[in-house]
Amino acid sequence: LTAYFGLLEVCKMKPGETVLVNAAAGAVGSVVGQIAKIGGCKMVGCAGSDDKVAYLKKIGFDEAFNYKAVKSLDEALRKASPDGYDCFFDNVGGEFASVAINQMKKYGRIAVCGAISQYNDSVPQKGPYVQFPMIFKELQMEGFIVSRWSSRRKEGLQALLKWVVEGKVKYHEQVTEGFENMPMAFMGMLKGENLGKAVVKV
């Protein structure tokens, strides 16, 4: 639902546009990519391991790369989409967002869903300073929490379920067994150890 409403209501993606998502192999990011493909967009995603990149390509991402393995994030983003990005679905914040915002196309839209790069910081990060690209590219940037659309929950679930049944949206659950392992699973999720949705079976 976060992916559904974030793309359709905040990013307002249109067919033929290029969409970027980080933390792309997570529960939200992987669905963002697949919905964007259903909507006729080019999809670029990044993740933190080669296995995750392989998963992204398997579920239909046009371009995917391991951000931990590239020499320059700026160059990797330019290579993936030399013309820039119309939509950016940001789950990470921090340095990634700072670099990506500078590669937005004019009138681009940015949906800010998370800031996982900053959750564990004991000292707040400096920057990014977004004013220049925001002004000169006339960008729109909006933070959101999915509960805003709680009155439309049924609509979102019906659309997503239809796509799952049709095979257009695939999902992966990383299951950890045992209630006592819940803290380990939660910390692992924050470190990016999971593929898809992290769940605990009790």
Side-chain angles (χ1 to χ4, degrees):
L1 290 173
T2 301
Y4 180 85
F5 289 112
L7 266 181
L8 300 182
E9 298 295 332
V10 182
C11 276
K12 294 183 170 64
M13 65 167 191
K14 303 180 190 74
E17 292 190 324
T18 301
V19 179
L20 170 66
V21 64
N22 48 24
V28 174
S30 59
V31 177
V32 167
Q34 294 175 88
I35 295 175
K37 290 302 296 178
I38 291 167
C41 295
K42 176 184 175 181
M43 195 61 229
V44 177
C46 78
S49 76
D50 292 342
D51 287 344
K52 289 181 178 182
V53 169
Y55 173 71
L56 295 178
K57 291 182 177 174
K58 181 179 172 185
I59 62 172
F61 277 68
D62 297 289
E63 300 285 343
F65 64 89
N66 178 353
Y67 73 91
K68 292 180 180 176
V70 298
K71 290 180 182 177
S72 164
L73 180 58
D74 186 72
E75 286 177 19
L77 288 171
R78 286 187 197 284
K79 183 180 177 185
S81 181
D83 297 330
Y85 299 91
D86 300 284
C87 300
F88 171 31
F89 197 107
D90 184 20
N91 294 300
V92 174
E95 182 186 359
F96 190 105
S98 182
V99 173
I101 287 170
N102 282 290
Q103 296 199 26
M104 296 298 293
K105 294 181 184 179
K106 192 145 177 127
Y107 311 121
R109 288 91 62 205
I110 302 157
V112 183
C113 170
I116 200 164
S117 69
Q118 297 162 277
Y119 293 160
N120 294 322
D121 287 350
S122 54
V123 178
Q125 295 179 21
K126 291 188 175 180
Y129 303 108
V130 299
Q131 285 78 5
F132 281 128
M134 291 287 293
I135 294 165
F136 291 109
K137 295 185 179 186
E138 299 184 63
L139 305 177
Q140 292 181 29
M141 186 176 193
E142 182 178 341
F144 74 97
I145 299 170
V146 70
S147 56
R148 183 194 310 182
W149 296 280
S150 56
S151 64
R152 293 172 57 191
R153 179 181 173 84
K154 186 176 178 182
E155 169 204 327
L157 287 174
Q158 286 176 336
L160 289 164
L161 181 58
K162 179 174 181 286
W163 290 329
V164 168
V165 170
E166 292 172 350
K168 293 177 180 177
V169 168
K170 297 174 178 64
Y171 64 91
H172 185 275
E173 293 179 337
Q174 182 124 4
V175 181
T176 300
E177 298 265 354
F179 182 82
E180 68 280 5
N181 293 318
M182 191 178 288
M184 179 188 72
F186 182 71
M187 289 185 288
M189 181 269 296
L190 290 176
K191 292 177 186 172
E193 292 173 0
N194 60 298
L195 179 67
K197 185 71 173 175
V199 295
V200 177
K201 184 177 180 181
V202 296

